[in-house]
């Protein structure tokens, strides 16, 4: 997998996570004015390995 850092048509910084077959499996969903903020978003995703998984289907009645 790899993170791709790029600028969108409005000049905002964005990231996307691409898997080996070329598919995008996650993206920033928002543009950042500063590259550093975008890189911080990538760091948050990289560090989220300890995040729990919650099955929301059991929460919906």
């Amino acid at each position: 997998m790899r993170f791709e850092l790029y600028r969108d048509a409005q000049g905002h910084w964005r990231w996307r996570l691409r898997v080996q077959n070329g598919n995008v499996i996650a993206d920033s969903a928002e543009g950042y004015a500063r590259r550093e903020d975008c890189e911080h978003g990538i760091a948050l995703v990289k560090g989220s390995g300890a995040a729990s998984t919650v099955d929301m289907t059991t929460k919906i009645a």
Side-chain angles (χ1 to χ4, degrees):
M1 292 191 293
R2 71 174 186 250
F3 283 93
E4 298 176 342
L5 185 65
Y6 66 98
R7 288 193 131 172
D8 64 17
Q10 291 77 36
H12 295 122
W13 290 96
R14 292 181 176 268
W15 62 264
R16 61 183 159 234
L17 179 58
R18 196 177 292 268
V19 292
Q20 194 170 14
N21 67 4
N23 290 340
V24 175
I25 61 167
D27 63 44
S28 59
E30 67 174 297
Y32 298 91
R34 297 179 340 127
R35 179 185 175 118
E36 294 81 8
D37 294 334
C38 189
E39 290 172 340
H40 182 254
I42 292 171
L44 288 173
V45 173
K46 284 182 174 181
S48 68
S52 63
T53 301
V54 178
D55 182 355
M56 296 303 290
T57 61
T58 62
K59 307 282 185 204
I60 301 170

